[in-house]
Amino acid sequence: LIAVNADRLRADFRALCEIGRTQAGGVSRTTFSDAHLDAREWFLRRAVAAGLETRVDAAGNHSAVLAAARSSAPTLLLGSHLDSVPDGGRFDGALGVVAALEALRAVNDAGLALPVALEAIDFTDEEGSLVGLLGSLALAGALTQELLEAPRGGRESLVAELARVGLSEAQLKDARRPPEALAGYLELHIEQGPELQRHRAQIGVVTAIAGSRSFRLLFEGAARHAGTTPMSSRRDALLGAARFALLVRDTVVDRFPGCVGTVGAIEVEPSAFNVVPGRARLLLELRSPAAEQLDALEAQLFRSAHRAAASDGLDLTIERVGRWDPVELDAKTQAAIERGAQDLGLSTLRLVSGAGHDAQALAPVTRAGMIFVPSIDGISHDPAEHTSWLHCLNGANVLLRAALSLAQSSSG
Ligand code: GLV
Ligand code: MN
Ligand code: MN
């Protein structure tokens, strides 16, 4: 019975945790930081050591490849991402990449000949310090000029960072692979939420991934003397931003229970004890698995926000800086994951992912599926993020089995 090599997988995971390790015990590997680049080089070295081919595409995606006997065979992608949020956890993305690499090694060791090539891929900038899903959108042929012109991390930073690592903005789109060259995409990931733990399920079978919309808001009032400006004549930008943060929470809770909304940052200028804030910049993100709910929430929120800002004497500017559409994942792939788990005696739960993933970019062009393993207390994007090793190992074995079943049933 084919299985991953648990010791080899664990040694790799531990080695990866050391790259960009933080004092709090997590990792900080934001896109193209030194730690991120080191992790990617480490990944290629491990692939070479395993006798696999390696490739880096025009969007900087890093891959290990186990070729098929027939050179024209399509490729089954297994992957995730090695970048992290600032001060993130050790498992988000990293588990999926080392498990994908291990799945290739296990197939190689077993000497199996498959009708498809297997490729373990580390996608560029999943977390979005620059754009978000940059590498997977490029591979899917869905990287738009609009996204590149108004990226989440700011245009200047995107241009500078691409130059820093020798990538050309004009060529990013060359990473596109024609859908007929793909046999599917499978991603193992930690759940990052509490459902599997709550249901005591060992393996999550992801049915859909929530969409997300990101915005920058600018509230502009007037910076004035904090001692002499009467309370009644202030145009305090921070108060507008604060009111807006409450409006987001109340609107979502009262009227859009299937959505979540987050104000992730408020920056105030001039930022002093003795000056009424003249400007407040705010980052907003809305998510839901239902696109029409996002449309309705967005419309209602911004209508109320403009009204509230005007009555506070503030100007409000809203800029859209990112959009990932909600997607449903492939039914045949879900069934393959379920069978793989059942064969191993593992319990499963079907669930929707509230977090974004590269699978979301690939689902429109190829059969895409995701395997989740339980997160302790649902904590993620934090150094305390944790998944027990046994769950990680189970997830890797389900990934391997699902990959083999999809590879073998692929017409090639
Ligand atoms: C990525 O992890 C996201 O959901 O923001
Ligand atoms: Mn992730
Ligand atoms: Mn993440």
Side-chain angles (χ1 to χ4, degrees):
L1 222 58
I2 188 168
V4 302
N5 179 324
D7 291 339
R8 189 167 57 186
L9 177 63
R10 189 164 206 186
D12 271 357
F13 184 71
R14 285 184 168 163
L16 184 52
C17 290
E18 293 305 314
I19 307 176
R21 188 185 180 90
T22 57
Q23 280 211 320
V27 297
S28 223
R29 291 195 299 251
T30 52
T31 304
F32 303 153
S33 60
D34 289 344
H36 178 227
L37 298 178
D38 286 350
R40 306 191 98 177
E41 272 181 32
W42 171 87
F43 171 63
L44 291 191
R45 280 200 308 275
R46 294 301 293 150
V48 169
L52 300 166
E53 294 166 24
T54 60
R55 67 181 273 181
V56 178
D57 70 15
N61 296 315
H62 280 46
S63 299
V65 182
L66 181 60
R70 217 161 39 81
S71 65
S72 62
T75 298
L76 178 61
L77 297 168
L78 312 180
S80 200
H81 58 95
L82 291 176
D83 67 319
S84 80
V85 294
D87 272 313
R90 293 166 294 160
F91 297 81
D92 180 354
L95 175 64
V97 174
V98 292
L101 175 64
E102 178 52 31
L104 265 61
R105 288 186 302 216
V107 172
N108 204 17
D109 291 352
L112 294 178
L114 299 177
V116 299
L118 290 182
E119 178 170 338
I121 186 162
D122 155 36
F123 285 113
T124 298
D125 186 44
E126 190 274 348
E127 296 287 6
S129 18
L130 299 179
V131 176
L133 308 186
L134 173 61
S136 48
L137 286 170
L139 191 145
L143 198 55
T144 60
Q145 207 51 40
E146 185 194 350
L147 270 174
L148 294 173
E149 292 302 331
R152 291 219 297 189
R155 175 75 195 157
E156 262 173 52
S157 150
L158 175 63
V159 170
E161 290 297 306
L162 289 174
R164 176 177 135 77
V165 298
L167 287 176
S168 137
E169 183 181 345
Q171 281 165 18
L172 291 174
K173 293 178 183 128
D174 295 347
R176 175 180 181 270
R177 308 238 197 132
E180 58 276 14
L182 302 174
Y185 175 67
L186 271 175
E187 178 167 359
L188 169 65
H189 204 283
I190 54 165
E191 183 203 335
Q192 310 180 272
E195 300 306 323
L196 292 175
Q197 178 178 294
R198 182 153 71 209
H199 290 89
R200 297 179 194 283
Q202 291 160 302
I203 294 292
V205 181
V206 183
T207 56
I209 304 178
S212 112
R213 298 186 186 179
S214 319
F215 307 88
R216 283 175 199 282
L217 279 74
L218 171 63
F219 288 88
E220 289 177 287
R224 293 289 183 269
H225 196 292
T228 59
T229 312
M231 295 305 281
S232 59
S233 59
R234 295 179 177 206
R235 295 169 58 217
D236 184 330
L238 175 58
L239 289 184
R243 227 191 271 291
F244 179 77
L246 294 173
L247 175 73
V248 172
R249 197 267 319 263
D250 293 343
T251 307
V252 170
V253 169
D254 295 345
R255 319 223 5 209
F256 294 88
C259 299
V260 290
T262 307
V263 172
I266 298 179
E267 270 175 30
V268 169
E269 291 168 32
S271 229
F273 280 110
N274 54 359
V275 188
V276 175
R279 287 167 179 256
R281 297 176 200 278
L282 176 154
L283 302 184
L284 169 70
E285 199 186 69
L286 308 175
R287 300 200 195 201
S288 166
E292 51 308 338
Q293 287 276 299
L294 285 173
D295 289 339
L297 171 59
E298 181 184 322
Q300 177 169 337
L301 209 50
F302 293 156
R303 210 178 317 117
S304 307
H306 280 293
R307 211 179 302 127
S311 80
D312 284 341
L314 303 173
D315 294 324
L316 169 59
T317 321
I318 301 175
E319 181 195 7
R320 181 189 291 279
V321 288
R323 176 190 181 119
W324 306 340
D325 290 326
V327 298
E328 293 193 358
L329 297 183
D330 177 58
K332 176 180 158 189
T333 307
Q334 290 173 44
I337 294 168
E338 260 161 4
R339 270 197 314 277
Q342 276 157 16
D343 289 349
L344 293 166
L346 302 170
S347 57
T348 60
L349 178 75
R350 291 187 167 221
L351 76 180
V352 170
S353 173
H357 297 287
D358 293 303
Q360 192 159 8
L362 293 166
V365 295
T366 194
R367 293 182 178 282
M370 288 195 76
I371 301 157
F372 274 179
V373 285
S375 289
I376 293 179
D377 298 332
I379 298 169
S380 186
H381 283 183
D382 184 279
E385 176 180 282
H386 193 77
T387 294
S388 81
W389 180 248
L390 186 59
H391 285 314
C392 293
L393 183 59
N394 285 340
N397 275 312
V398 173
L399 175 72
L400 173 61
R401 278 165 178 273
L404 284 175
S405 132
L406 291 169
Q408 275 148 358
S409 71
S410 163
S411 52

